[in-house]
Amino acid sequence: QVQLVESGGGLVQPGGSLRLSCAASGLTFSRCTMSWYRQAPGKERELVASSVAHTGRTNYADSVKGRFTISRDNAKNTVYLQMTSLKPEDTAVYYCKAVSYITSNTYWGQGTQVTVSS
């Protein structure tokens, strides 16, 4: 059974930082492209950042470039999202997504709330 468990969300002031973690189990983590998405109230879910399996290539939404960093530890089956210089518009539920390039299956975590407010 595949599980993706996000953690690290919370309330932070504008300009602050948070690090999200997503611990995966039940899949071959190193063979998965791992991504972070977010969904704000009344808006569609959007891609924030991704880490491609094997290549180590990373991609970012324009709105977070230079502020957010995605990284992964294949030994720990965990992907991280380091968020700095947070803005109120970063407020959303953040979701972890795994796509296996072996099976093409897609898995989602349950999400973690990030609120940026003074």
Side-chain angles (χ1 to χ4, degrees), residues 57-111:
R57 181 167 55 91
T58 57
N59 299 295
Y60 296 92
D62 287 343
S63 58
V64 306
K65 280 181 181 176
R67 299 188 300 121
F68 290 11
T69 302
I70 188 171
S71 61
R72 63 193 294 163
D73 186 335
N74 287 343
K76 295 183 178 180
N77 286 3
T78 302
V79 62
Y80 305 97
L81 185 68
Q82 179 68 49
M83 305 185 293
T84 62
S85 301
L86 282 160
K87 305 174 181 180
E89 51 263 44
D90 294 318
T91 295
V93 178
Y94 284 71
Y95 296 91
C96 177
K97 174 185 170 184
V99 179
S100 169
Y101 82 79
I102 297 175
T103 65
S104 297
N105 289 340
T106 298
Y107 307 97
W108 290 91
Q110 82 289 350

Side-chain angles (χ1 to χ4, degrees), residues 10-57:
L11 174 64
V12 63
Q13 292 187 341
S17 300
L18 279 176
R19 189 177 82 154
L20 306 183
S21 300
C22 172
S25 60
L27 47 69
T28 306
F29 185 82
S30 62
R31 301 293 188 264
C32 291
T33 290
M34 301 300 299
S35 302
W36 287 96
Y37 283 71
R38 67 186 181 187
Q39 187 166 19
K43 295 188 177 181
E44 293 187 354
R45 193 172 295 189
E46 63 174 356
L47 176 66
V48 176
S50 62
S51 171
V52 181
H54 283 319
T55 67
R57 181 167 55 91

